[in-house]
Amino acid sequence: MASAPLLSKATILVVDDDPDVLLALALLLRPLAGHVLTEKNPERLPALLRQERPDLVLLDMNYQSAANTGNEGFYWLAQLKKLAPSLVVVLMTAYGDIDLAVRALKDGAADFVVKPWRNDKLVATLAEALGRASGAAPMQALPANQANAALIGESEAMQAVRYKLEKIAPTDANVLIMGENGTGKDVVARLLHQLSPRAAGPFVAVDLGAITDSLFESELFGHLKGAFTDARQDRAGRFEAAQGGTLFLDEIGNLPLPQQVKLLAVLQNRQVVRLGSNTPVPIDVRVLSATNAPLYQLAAEDRFRKDLVYRLNTIEITLPPLRERGGDVLLLARHFTAQYAAKYHKPDLELADSALARLRVHAFPGNVRELQHTIERAVIMAEGSVLHDSDLLFSALEAAAPTAFVPTLRLDELEKTAIQRVIDKHQGNISQAARELGITRMALYRRLGKHNL
């Protein structure tokens, strides 16, 4: 594991009341950092700051000792920033406390990591935090860190996606990316290209759902002048255009059977023949494909060729819907708020607690794309510096669409779906939702916790 220059010279203080955590982090960081100190008792922080002058403090948010502040992490963060305003503080938190960690960023924390952490993610986070504090130019990111930046989220599902992406990207294997509309399949495809040995080559994307049957061969394989009525000059197809790089075939599930046969032949032979020509052209491309269609079901029904599936999915990545990603919704919402506030020249725009609460319970049938558009609209229409729940207008198109939930007869899933729909109907108003569901507010809160809503 490579260490950034700033990290290799830094003094890092790790504060956690769990001896096993301190030992694990000391073993991880000592070969990478200039000096590593560990401390169980946060009460000793003021003295340690005076004696050791650390460059970065990795601070746990919760301790076994009682605290009269409600949360020790906030208290000790405030104390550290008071004693040393320029000190870099990175918080450690359990997955369930991500909302607290996000709030702590406003109070001066540089970043946070989630327990149980992944070593490469933790090291990259610390190095980046030090780099931002020093004003240094962004360092050359590790492939894993690039994936982290593009695939925002700390849920287990997204950590699994990033882990698989990091393993797959350096290879030349064909990849099939599956997931509902709006989950970010195109983002993953571009990341696979950017983190691969082919990154210097072209990335060519083709929406197969937008290509007519009559133009399929010309678009993908190319043609010679005069091959058909409108062929006024020679033209290379998408396979040749992607030579030495990556070809991304989006909406592969929409491909008719006759075109599937032609695509399969190209993938097997690694060569194309332009329309109007008899000369094969060797191709050197990595093929990525994506679909929201149930490809295996289509194959079982003989509507999609099984041999083509095998060619496309040497490796498979399935992206989770946003409703199954827990606290990632709030991380993404803050990211999009900052992004569009900068774009539309509305600095310091933030989300009110009421807006966060409403985002937390919305089902997002349109996934990340729906969230992105919702935040962009809210930012454009914002009058002040705070976005409230009333500023969030969810897409009528998604609301009118058939539900994106997988049909189920499981009682817990039916209950979760009912709760989500009623809360959406009442725009996050817990009292009204509880009244319609015929339960008390406290009972509804318990069910929200049970279903991670």
Side-chain angles (χ1 to χ4, degrees):
M1 185 184 300
S3 174
L6 283 169
L7 188 60
S8 66
K9 299 175 182 178
T11 295
I12 298 176
L13 171 60
V14 183
V15 187
D16 196 297
D17 59 356
D18 187 336
D20 292 334
V21 169
L22 293 179
L23 177 60
L25 289 170
L27 292 173
L28 169 65
L29 296 174
R30 277 178 180 150
L32 306 174
H35 186 37
V36 177
L37 304 161
T38 60
E39 177 56 53
K40 286 182 59 176
N41 183 5
E43 300 284 346
R44 296 199 62 238
L45 275 172
L48 285 169
L49 251 60
R50 289 191 298 268
Q51 296 167 10
E52 303 293 345
R53 297 186 179 277
D55 301 294
L56 181 147
V57 175
L58 183 55
L59 177 69
D60 188 32
M61 290 194 70
N62 293 291
Y63 299 87
Q64 295 172 359
S65 60
N68 59 11
T69 55
N71 184 284
E72 299 96 324
F74 287 113
Y75 173 76
W76 289 113
L77 172 62
Q79 295 303 305
L80 288 172
K81 299 307 289 185
K82 188 182 299 181
L83 294 168
S86 62
L87 180 65
V88 179
V89 182
V90 175
L91 297 174
M92 290 188 292
T93 182
Y95 171 72
D97 291 330
I98 286 180
D99 292 354
L100 292 178
V102 172
R103 280 174 47 202
L105 297 181
K106 292 184 182 179
D107 294 346
D111 211 329
F112 66 91
V113 293
V114 178
K115 294 179 180 178
W117 64 83
R118 287 181 45 199
N119 288 346
D120 54 357
K121 163 69 173 170
L122 185 143
V123 170
T125 298
L126 300 187
E128 283 188 349
L130 286 167
R132 288 195 301 269
S134 70
M139 57 187 167
Q140 188 65 31
L142 296 170
N145 191 48
Q146 291 181 25
N148 289 336
L151 296 178
I152 295 169
E154 293 297 341
S155 62
E156 290 185 13
M158 289 309 294
Q159 289 186 39
V161 168
R162 279 198 293 264
Y163 176 78
K164 185 174 281 192
L165 191 149
E166 292 159 20
K167 292 289 187 182
I168 296 170
T171 74
D172 222 20
N174 291 343
V175 182
L176 174 63
I177 308 166
M178 304 182 73
E180 295 179 6
N181 282 333
T183 50
K185 297 185 289 295
D186 57 332
V187 173
V188 170
R190 290 182 183 279
L191 269 174
L192 285 167
H193 173 70
Q194 291 164 9
L195 305 180
S196 76
R198 295 177 175 268
F203 177 86
V204 178
V206 186
D207 183 352
L208 295 178
I211 297 179
T212 63
D213 291 353
S214 59
L215 292 177
F216 175 81
E217 287 184 80
S218 171
E219 284 292 323
L220 265 68
F221 312 143
H223 62 254
L224 298 185
K225 180 179 179 180
F228 51 89
T229 304
D230 292 325
R232 297 184 176 87
Q233 59 186 10
D234 292 355
R235 181 186 174 190
R238 304 296 182 91
F239 271 95
E240 287 185 71
Q243 195 77 277
T246 302
L247 179 65
F248 175 43
L249 302 176
D250 200 5
E251 302 295 350
I252 190 75
N254 292 340
L255 201 60
L257 281 169
Q259 317 301 7
Q260 293 176 30
V261 176
K262 297 169 184 174
L263 177 59
L264 177 64
V266 170
L267 296 178
Q268 286 176 333
N269 300 326
R270 310 298 296 178
Q271 60 184 27
V272 296
V273 178
R274 294 186 183 184
L275 282 175
S277 171
N278 293 318
T279 305
V281 179
I283 54 168
D284 173 25
V285 299
R286 183 187 195 179
V287 176
L288 309 177
S289 51
T291 183
N292 66 336
L295 209 57
Y296 295 109
Q297 182 179 334
L298 294 178
E301 297 170 356
D302 293 328
R303 294 160 60 194
F304 201 94
R305 294 183 63 97
K306 294 183 177 67
D307 45 5
L308 179 55
V309 174
Y310 290 131
R311 284 286 176 180
L312 296 172
N313 80 331
T314 305
I315 301 287
E316 180 182 306
I317 295 179
T318 301
L319 298 183
L322 187 55
R323 63 182 174 274
E324 295 178 4
R325 292 175 53 182
D328 287 356
V329 173
L330 303 188
L331 297 180
L332 285 161
R334 292 183 186 279
H335 167 76
F336 290 135
T337 299
Q339 175 183 323
Y340 289 117
K343 178 178 179 180
Y344 296 113
H345 309 293
K346 297 185 176 183
D348 303 322
L349 201 60
E350 61 181 28
L351 290 156
D353 288 344
S354 62
L356 295 174
R358 190 174 178 201
L359 290 169
R360 190 183 289 111
V361 298
H362 184 62
F364 286 105
N367 293 297
V368 178
R369 187 179 297 128
E370 181 188 359
L371 172 61
Q372 183 175 359
H373 290 173
T374 297
I375 297 296
E376 183 175 13
R377 284 195 298 267
V379 170
I380 291 172
M381 299 302 294
E383 296 291 344
S385 61
V386 178
L387 296 179
H388 300 279
D389 58 335
S390 57
D391 295 314
L392 301 175
L393 302 177
F394 297 114
S395 172
L397 178 65
E398 297 292 353
T403 178
F405 291 107
V406 177
T408 178
L409 294 178
R410 288 174 55 92
L411 287 176
D412 56 343
E413 289 296 327
L414 290 171
E415 181 181 71
K416 179 178 179 180
T417 301
I419 290 171
Q420 285 176 323
R421 288 177 177 173
V422 172
I423 288 180
D424 286 345
K425 175 182 175 181
H426 294 290
Q427 300 182 344
N429 188 306
I430 297 297
S431 296
Q432 293 178 14
R435 192 175 302 117
E436 178 164 339
L437 289 166
I439 58 178
T440 65
R441 281 169 52 92
M442 290 308 300
L444 179 52
Y445 278 124
R446 286 195 295 271
R447 283 167 172 79
L448 291 174
K450 169 187 172 184
H451 295 297
N452 195 27
L453 294 174

Coordinates of all heavy atoms in Angstrom, one line a residue, residues 12-15 55-61 63 77 80-81 87-93 101 104-105 108-114 121-130 132:
I12 N 0.4 11.4 13.7 CA -1.1 11.0 13.8 C -1.4 10.6 15.2 O -0.7 9.7 15.7 CB -1.5 10.0 12.7 CG1 -1.2 10.5 11.3 CG2 -2.9 9.5 12.9 CD1 -1.5 9.5 10.2
L13 N -2.4 11.1 15.8 CA -2.9 10.7 17.1 C -4.3 10.0 16.9 O -5.2 10.6 16.4 CB -3.1 11.9 18.0 CG -3.8 11.7 19.3 CD1 -3.0 10.7 20.2 CD2 -3.9 13.0 20.1
V14 N -4.3 8.8 17.4 CA -5.6 8.0 17.3 C -6.2 7.9 18.7 O -5.5 7.5 19.6 CB -5.3 6.6 16.7 CG1 -6.6 5.8 16.6 CG2 -4.5 6.6 15.4
V15 N -7.5 8.3 18.8 CA -8.1 8.3 20.1 C -9.4 7.4 20.0 O -10.3 7.7 19.2 CB -8.6 9.7 20.5 CG1 -9.1 9.7 21.9 CG2 -7.4 10.7 20.3
D55 N -0.3 16.3 13.7 CA -0.8 17.0 12.5 C -2.2 16.6 12.2 O -3.0 17.3 11.5 CB 0.1 16.6 11.2 CG 1.5 16.9 11.4 OD1 1.8 18.2 11.4 OD2 2.4 16.0 11.6
L56 N -2.6 15.4 12.7 CA -4.0 14.9 12.4 C -4.4 14.0 13.6 O -3.6 13.3 14.2 CB -4.0 14.0 11.1 CG -5.3 13.4 10.7 CD1 -5.4 13.3 9.2 CD2 -5.5 12.0 11.3
V57 N -5.7 14.2 14.0 CA -6.3 13.4 15.0 C -7.4 12.5 14.4 O -8.3 13.0 13.8 CB -6.8 14.2 16.2 CG1 -7.6 13.3 17.2 CG2 -5.7 15.0 16.9
L58 N -7.2 11.2 14.6 CA -8.3 10.3 14.2 C -9.1 10.0 15.4 O -8.7 9.3 16.3 CB -7.6 9.0 13.6 CG -8.6 7.9 13.0 CD1 -9.5 8.5 12.0 CD2 -7.7 6.8 12.4
L59 N -10.3 10.5 15.5 CA -11.1 10.6 16.7 C -12.4 9.8 16.6 O -13.2 10.0 15.7 CB -11.4 12.1 17.0 CG -12.3 12.4 18.2 CD1 -11.5 12.2 19.5 CD2 -12.8 13.9 18.1
D60 N -12.5 8.9 17.6 CA -13.8 8.1 17.7 C -14.9 9.0 18.2 O -14.6 9.9 18.9 CB -13.6 6.9 18.6 CG -14.8 6.0 18.6 OD1 -15.4 5.9 17.5 OD2 -15.1 5.4 19.7
M61 N -16.1 8.8 17.8 CA -17.2 9.6 18.1 C -17.9 9.2 19.4 O -18.6 10.0 20.0 CB -18.3 9.7 17.0 CG -17.8 10.4 15.8 SD -19.2 10.8 14.7 CE -20.1 12.1 15.7
Y63 N -17.6 7.0 23.3 CA -16.7 6.4 24.3 C -17.6 5.8 25.4 O -18.8 6.1 25.5 CB -15.8 7.5 24.9 CG -14.9 8.1 23.9 CD1 -15.3 9.1 23.1 CD2 -13.6 7.5 23.6 CE1 -14.5 9.7 22.1 CE2 -12.8 8.0 22.6 CZ -13.2 9.1 21.9 OH -12.4 9.6 20.9
L77 N -14.5 17.2 19.3 CA -14.2 17.9 18.1 C -14.2 19.4 18.4 O -13.2 20.1 18.0 CB -15.2 17.6 17.0 CG -15.1 18.4 15.7 CD1 -13.8 18.2 15.0 CD2 -16.3 18.1 14.8
L80 N -11.0 20.3 20.4 CA -9.8 20.2 19.5 C -9.7 21.5 18.6 O -8.6 22.1 18.5 CB -9.8 19.0 18.7 CG -9.5 17.7 19.4 CD1 -9.8 16.5 18.5 CD2 -8.1 17.6 20.0
K81 N -10.8 21.9 18.0 CA -10.8 23.0 17.1 C -10.6 24.3 17.9 O -10.0 25.3 17.4 CB -12.1 23.1 16.3 CG -12.4 21.9 15.4 CD -11.2 21.5 14.5 CE -11.0 22.5 13.4 NZ -10.0 22.1 12.4
L87 N -5.9 22.2 13.2 CA -5.7 20.8 13.4 C -6.6 20.0 12.5 O -7.8 20.4 12.4 CB -5.9 20.4 14.8 CG -5.7 18.9 15.1 CD1 -4.3 18.5 14.9 CD2 -6.1 18.6 16.6
V88 N -6.1 19.0 11.8 CA -7.0 18.2 10.9 C -7.6 17.1 11.8 O -6.8 16.3 12.4 CB -6.1 17.5 9.8 CG1 -7.0 16.6 8.9 CG2 -5.5 18.6 9.0
V89 N -8.9 17.0 11.9 CA -9.6 16.0 12.7 C -10.4 15.1 11.7 O -11.3 15.6 11.0 CB -10.5 16.6 13.7 CG1 -11.2 15.5 14.6 CG2 -9.7 17.6 14.6
V90 N -10.2 13.8 11.8 CA -11.0 12.9 11.0 C -11.7 12.0 12.0 O -11.1 11.5 12.9 CB -10.1 12.0 10.1 CG1 -11.0 10.9 9.4 CG2 -9.4 12.9 9.0
L91 N -13.0 11.9 11.9 CA -13.9 11.1 12.8 C -14.0 9.7 12.4 O -14.1 9.4 11.2 CB -15.2 11.8 12.9 CG -15.2 13.2 13.5 CD1 -16.6 13.8 13.4 CD2 -14.7 13.3 14.9
M92 N -14.2 8.8 13.4 CA -14.5 7.4 13.2 C -15.9 7.2 13.8 O -16.2 7.7 14.9 CB -13.5 6.5 13.9 CG -12.2 6.4 13.2 SD -11.1 5.1 14.0 CE -10.9 5.8 15.6
T93 N -16.8 6.5 13.0 CA -18.1 6.3 13.5 C -18.6 5.0 13.0 O -18.2 4.4 12.0 CB -19.0 7.4 13.0 OG1 -20.3 7.2 13.5 CG2 -19.1 7.5 11.5
A101 N -22.0 12.0 11.7 CA -20.7 12.3 11.1 C -20.8 13.4 10.1 O -20.0 14.3 10.0 CB -20.0 11.1 10.6
A104 N -21.1 16.6 11.7 CA -19.8 17.0 12.3 C -18.9 17.7 11.3 O -18.1 18.5 11.6 CB -19.1 15.8 12.9
L105 N -19.1 17.4 10.0 CA -18.3 18.1 9.0 C -18.5 19.6 9.0 O -17.6 20.4 8.8 CB -18.6 17.5 7.6 CG -18.3 16.0 7.3 CD1 -18.7 15.6 5.9 CD2 -16.9 15.7 7.6
G108 N -16.4 21.4 11.6 CA -14.9 21.5 11.5 C -14.2 20.2 11.2 O -13.0 20.3 11.0
A109 N -14.8 19.1 11.2 CA -14.2 17.8 10.9 C -13.7 17.8 9.5 O -14.5 18.4 8.6 CB -15.1 16.6 11.2
A110 N -12.6 17.3 9.2 CA -12.1 17.3 7.8 C -12.8 16.2 7.0 O -13.0 16.3 5.8 CB -10.6 17.0 7.8
D111 N -13.1 15.0 7.7 CA -13.7 13.9 7.0 C -14.1 12.9 8.0 O -13.9 13.1 9.2 CB -12.7 13.3 6.0 CG -13.5 12.7 4.8 OD1 -14.6 12.2 4.9 OD2 -12.9 12.7 3.7
F112 N -14.7 11.8 7.6 CA -14.9 10.7 8.5 C -14.8 9.4 7.8 O -14.9 9.2 6.6 CB -16.4 10.8 9.1 CG -17.5 10.7 8.2 CD1 -18.0 9.4 7.9 CD2 -18.0 11.7 7.5 CE1 -19.1 9.2 7.0 CE2 -19.0 11.6 6.6 CZ -19.6 10.3 6.3
V113 N -14.5 8.3 8.7 CA -14.5 6.9 8.2 C -15.4 6.1 9.0 O -15.8 6.4 10.1 CB -13.0 6.4 8.3 CG1 -12.1 7.1 7.3 CG2 -12.5 6.4 9.7
V114 N -15.9 5.1 8.4 CA -17.0 4.2 9.0 C -16.4 2.9 9.5 O -15.6 2.3 8.7 CB -18.1 4.0 8.0 CG1 -19.2 3.1 8.6 CG2 -18.7 5.3 7.5
K121 N -9.2 2.6 2.1 CA -10.1 3.7 2.2 C -9.7 4.7 3.3 O -9.6 5.9 3.2 CB -11.5 3.2 2.4 CG -12.5 4.3 2.9 CD -12.8 5.3 1.9 CE -13.9 6.3 2.5 NZ -14.1 7.4 1.6
L122 N -9.3 4.1 4.5 CA -8.9 4.9 5.6 C -7.6 5.7 5.3 O -7.5 6.8 5.6 CB -8.8 4.0 6.8 CG -8.5 4.7 8.2 CD1 -9.2 4.1 9.3 CD2 -7.0 4.8 8.4
V123 N -6.6 5.0 4.8 CA -5.4 5.6 4.5 C -5.6 6.7 3.4 O -5.0 7.8 3.6 CB -4.3 4.6 3.9 CG1 -3.1 5.3 3.4 CG2 -4.0 3.6 5.0
A124 N -6.4 6.5 2.4 CA -6.6 7.5 1.4 C -7.3 8.7 2.0 O -7.0 9.9 1.7 CB -7.5 6.9 0.3
T125 N -8.3 8.5 2.9 CA -9.0 9.6 3.6 C -8.1 10.4 4.4 O -8.1 11.7 4.3 CB -10.1 9.0 4.5 OG1 -11.1 8.3 3.7 CG2 -10.9 10.1 5.2
L126 N -7.2 9.8 5.2 CA -6.2 10.6 6.0 C -5.3 11.4 5.1 O -5.0 12.6 5.4 CB -5.4 9.6 6.9 CG -6.2 8.8 7.9 CD1 -5.3 8.0 8.8 CD2 -7.2 9.6 8.7
A127 N -4.8 10.8 4.0 CA -3.9 11.5 3.2 C -4.5 12.7 2.5 O -4.0 13.8 2.3 CB -3.3 10.5 2.1
E128 N -5.8 12.5 2.0 CA -6.5 13.6 1.4 C -6.8 14.7 2.4 O -6.7 15.9 2.0 CB -7.8 13.0 0.8 CG -7.7 12.3 -0.5 CD -9.0 11.9 -1.1 OE1 -10.0 12.2 -0.5 OE2 -9.0 11.5 -2.2
A129 N -7.2 14.4 3.6 CA -7.4 15.4 4.6 C -6.2 16.2 4.9 O -6.3 17.5 5.0 CB -7.9 14.7 5.9
L130 N -5.1 15.6 5.0 CA -3.8 16.3 5.2 C -3.5 17.2 4.0 O -3.0 18.3 4.1 CB -2.7 15.4 5.5 CG -2.6 14.7 6.9 CD1 -1.7 13.6 6.9 CD2 -2.3 15.8 7.9
R132 N -5.6 18.5 1.8 CA -6.5 19.7 1.7 C -6.0 20.7 2.7 O -6.1 21.9 2.4 CB -7.9 19.3 2.0 CG -8.6 18.5 0.8 CD -10.1 18.4 1.0 NE -10.5 17.8 2.3 CZ -10.7 16.5 2.4 NH1 -10.6 15.7 1.4 NH2 -11.1 16.0 3.6

